[in-house]
């Protein structure tokens, strides 16, 4: 009976420890989303923004979908995707730019994580484009770093954004 109690206590303590670790990582990943968002709006700390990423050459690419894809393929049948990098993205930001995040989902699996969400990219509170965005992250020296940013893009002038404002910043963790 004593061995059963020891095993039970060990399992219980292990579960509590794992829950604390998961909570810690989820908070750190939520902070990355917030740092990304505020870096775009404030646009005054390129180093803070750059430190969110593993390096300058991560995957940074978009596909077009819906009516935007149909329009672009009509104009350019060879179009596949749009690529870039975090530095160029940051340098091209203008005053009044915001990215809104909806239905944020965080999934942590050991030293790997994904963050996915619906987004709208706005200029002076007017939606310019919207879609789905995915980030892959790895844990390096106890710090989460974004290793890829991929997203779909739909031009608002061709297809209205379906996201509801009340869903803004709703986060779920797996």
């Amino acid at each position: 009976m004593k061995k059963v109690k020891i095993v039970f206590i060990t399992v219980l303590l292990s579960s509590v420890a794992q829950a604390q670790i998961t909570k810690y990582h989820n908070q750190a990943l939520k902070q990355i989303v917030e740092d990304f968002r505020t870096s775009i709006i404030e646009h005054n700390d390129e180093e803070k923004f750059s430190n969110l990423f593993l390096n300058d050459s991560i995957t940074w690419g978009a596909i077009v979908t819906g009516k935007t894809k149909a329009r672009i393929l009509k104009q350019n049948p060879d179009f596949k995707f749009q690529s870039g990098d975090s530095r160029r993205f940051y340098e091209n930001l203008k005053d009044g730019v915001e990215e809104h995040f909806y239905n944020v989902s965080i999934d942590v699996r050991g030293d790997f994580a994904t963050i996915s969400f619906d987004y709208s990219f706005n200029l002076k509170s007017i939606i310019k484009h919207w879609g789905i965005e995915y980030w892959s992250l790895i844990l390096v020296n106890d710090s989460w770093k974004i290793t890829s940013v991929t997203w779909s893009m739909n031009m608002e002038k061709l297809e209205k954004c379906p996201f509801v404002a009340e869903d803004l910043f709703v986060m779920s963790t797996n």
Side-chain angles (χ1 to χ4, degrees), residues 97-113:
V97 167
E98 280 186 279
E99 186 171 359
H100 291 188
F101 300 89
Y102 306 83
N103 306 313
V104 178
S105 179
I106 296 172
D107 185 16
V108 179
R109 306 209 182 180
D111 292 349
F112 297 92

Side-chain angles (χ1 to χ4, degrees), residues 15-27:
S15 294
V16 169
Q18 186 58 43
Q20 290 298 324
I21 291 168
T22 299
K23 183 178 178 182
Y24 168 78
H25 286 309
N26 284 331
Q27 284 304 112

Side-chain angles (χ1 to χ4, degrees), residues 69-163:
K69 181 177 183 176
R71 168 77 62 87
I72 287 177
L73 288 176
K74 187 175 183 180
Q75 295 169 346
N76 181 2
D78 296 329
F79 181 83
K80 303 283 187 254
F81 62 92
Q82 175 183 332
S83 65
D85 60 65
S86 59
R87 177 164 288 154
R88 194 169 12 160
F89 170 79
Y90 189 84
E91 288 170 355
N92 288 323
L93 291 173
K94 298 177 173 99
D95 286 338
V97 167
E98 280 186 279
E99 186 171 359
H100 291 188
F101 300 89
Y102 306 83
N103 306 313
V104 178
S105 179
I106 296 172
D107 185 16
V108 179
R109 306 209 182 180
D111 292 349
F112 297 92
T114 57
I115 300 175
S116 61
F117 49 89
D118 300 321
Y119 81 91
S120 65
F121 197 81
N122 309 295
L123 179 59
K124 298 184 180 175
S125 300
I126 297 170
I127 296 174
K128 294 301 181 182
H129 60 84
W130 56 270
I132 302 165
E133 193 161 331
Y134 295 92
W135 299 349
S136 295
L137 302 95
I138 59 173
L139 190 61
V140 178
N141 298 327
D142 203 35
S143 180
W144 288 101
K145 297 294 182 182
I146 301 170
T147 60
S148 71
V149 175
T150 55
W151 69 98
S152 66
M153 192 169 16
N154 301 278
M155 302 308 292
E156 177 71 6
K157 66 183 178 184
L158 299 176
E159 193 170 4
K160 296 293 179 203
C161 179
F163 312 138

